[in-house]
Amino acid sequence: MSSLSAAGSMSAPSSAERHQVWWYLGAVMLGLAVGLLAPGVGPFVEVLVWPVLAMLLLVVFFLTPWSQLPGVLARPRFLLAALAGNAVVMPLIAVALVHLGPEDPVLRFGLLLVLVAPCTDWFMTFTHVSGGDTAAASALIPVNLMAQLVLIPVYLWLFAPEIPGSGEANPATGVLAGAAVLILGSMLLGATAAWWAQRRPALARVRAHAEVAPVPLLAVVLFLVAASQARIVLDAAGSLPGIAAVALGYLVLAVLVAWVLARLTRVPREQGITLTMTLATRNSFVVLPVALALPAGAEVAAVAVVFQSLVELLGILVLLWVLPRWVFPRRVSSTASA
């Protein structure tokens, strides 16, 4: 997440943010290599996943621009389009796509878990790079975060009534409840620290320095997950094309839905780009604790979450070029052209 001023403007992305796709791909490839070549490290690195993931969540919530929340109310048409897309249209599309994907119910659960959660981190960088409205994106982040924490249990209760391999009837009160302790605890601590950072210059300086931390921390999490689940990834290799097809299908439909919603609500071009980025990017690191907390035998759900994220990131690289040129091109007025 790049630095944001009080006005919601965004500084140039750091080197880590510009190359974050390669950080994550490299971390996963290295983790798989370590896990396959030294299978004995699996139990050790699996223990490390949770503290590093907690640290990542804490940093991200610390950097979340909570003070920008009122700013989204100044953009009611954009807010309406974003909520309609993220809370209604795309979850329904995700359900349909997941049932066209891998037949393994655990993989389907993992895919559904990640596809119903709108992104609250890297979509800021991609919005900036593609020429979107970064102030609108900044104001939307806390909205996305709070909405998904409320709605994800509802989606899973409606569309995934049984946690794969657990026999539990309600994921909202079973596995999800355990992972919620980590997620909500990190959010509470991070939001409190962010509030204090507005009043304590020393903590504000810590916050400024922490802005470069999410990319390497997420890379470490992906490395640890890949290393601890390498054998499971290898066993699930035949399902990876199906996961990729669902992820790519979701990405294409997200662009189409964003374009339609932008036209219907008549938001400016820059907000149309921002809308596309929020519908297209998903919140893998927030739902990863849920996937990792699934009962024994359902670990492959985490593979679906991680692999979907990698496919998404590669697809976003294409969107960075396509969106401003073909989906939301600049209009040259007749006056200017004359």
Side-chain angles (χ1 to χ4, degrees):
M1 186 180 294
S2 294
S3 61
L4 288 157
S5 70
S9 61
M10 190 172 182
S11 66
S14 66
S15 175
E17 288 170 323
R18 289 195 303 271
H19 301 99
Q20 60 185 300
V21 175
W22 312 117
W23 277 69
Y24 304 145
L25 282 174
V28 170
M29 293 301 103
L30 181 60
L32 290 175
V34 170
L36 292 175
L37 294 175
V41 307
F44 174 72
V45 295
E46 190 171 6
V47 172
L48 295 178
V49 170
W50 289 101
V52 178
L53 185 55
M55 188 181 304
L56 170 64
L57 290 171
L58 181 60
V59 169
V60 169
F61 292 138
F62 181 41
L63 297 176
T64 296
W66 302 101
S67 62
Q68 301 293 325
L69 181 58
V72 78
L73 300 178
R75 304 168 176 84
R77 289 180 296 164
F78 171 75
L79 176 60
L80 174 63
L83 287 177
N86 274 327
V88 181
V89 181
M90 296 315 299
L92 292 175
I93 287 175
V95 172
L97 287 175
V98 163
H99 284 86
L100 295 175
E103 294 186 1
D104 186 336
V106 181
L107 285 175
R108 287 184 173 184
F109 183 85
L111 275 171
L112 180 64
L113 188 63
V114 69
L115 290 179
V116 298
C119 184
T120 59
D121 59 328
W122 58 47
F123 107 90
M124 274 295 306
T125 301
F126 296 140
T127 295
H128 177 66
V129 173
S130 58
D133 186 338
T134 55
S138 175
L140 186 62
I141 286 176
V143 175
N144 278 347
L145 182 58
M146 292 186 294
Q148 68 189 256
L149 292 178
V150 172
L151 292 175
I152 287 177
V154 176
Y155 295 142
L156 296 183
W157 182 74
L158 287 173
F159 304 129
E162 183 176 336
I163 300 174
S166 71
E168 297 182 24
N170 191 340
T173 58
V175 170
L176 192 62
V181 174
L182 173 64
I183 298 170
L184 296 178
S186 299
M187 184 179 71
L188 178 62
L189 291 174
T192 301
W195 183 82
W196 276 106
Q198 295 179 326
R199 293 155 178 79
R200 297 289 185 270
L203 193 55
R205 288 192 292 271
V206 171
R207 193 172 191 234
H209 290 303
E211 287 166 353
V212 300
V215 173
L217 278 174
L218 182 53
V220 173
V221 169
L222 293 176
F223 166 80
L224 294 173
V225 171
S228 63
Q229 310 294 333
R231 179 55 56 182
I232 295 172
V233 174
L234 189 63
D235 293 341
S239 300
L240 297 184
I243 297 174
V246 171
L248 288 174
Y250 178 92
L251 201 60
V252 171
L253 290 173
V255 175
L256 177 60
V257 169
W259 183 83
V260 170
L261 288 174
R263 294 291 295 268
L264 290 175
T265 54
R266 294 180 294 174
V267 298
R269 168 185 178 271
E270 291 75 15
Q271 290 182 13
I273 293 174
T274 306
L275 180 63
T276 306
M277 285 301 176
T278 186
L279 298 190
T281 55
R282 303 289 87 188
N283 208 352
S284 58
F285 69 86
V286 166
V287 300
L288 190 56
V290 181
L292 292 171
L294 286 172
E299 296 88 347
V300 74
V303 174
V305 171
V306 171
F307 192 67
Q308 182 279 334
S309 300
L310 295 178
V311 174
E312 173 188 298
L313 285 167
L314 292 174
I316 291 295
L317 290 181
V318 178
L319 286 188
L320 291 178
W321 189 87
V322 170
L323 280 184
R325 291 170 176 81
W326 299 101
V327 183
F328 296 101
R330 291 189 182 277
R331 303 294 183 184
V332 180
S333 66
S334 56
T335 302
S337 60

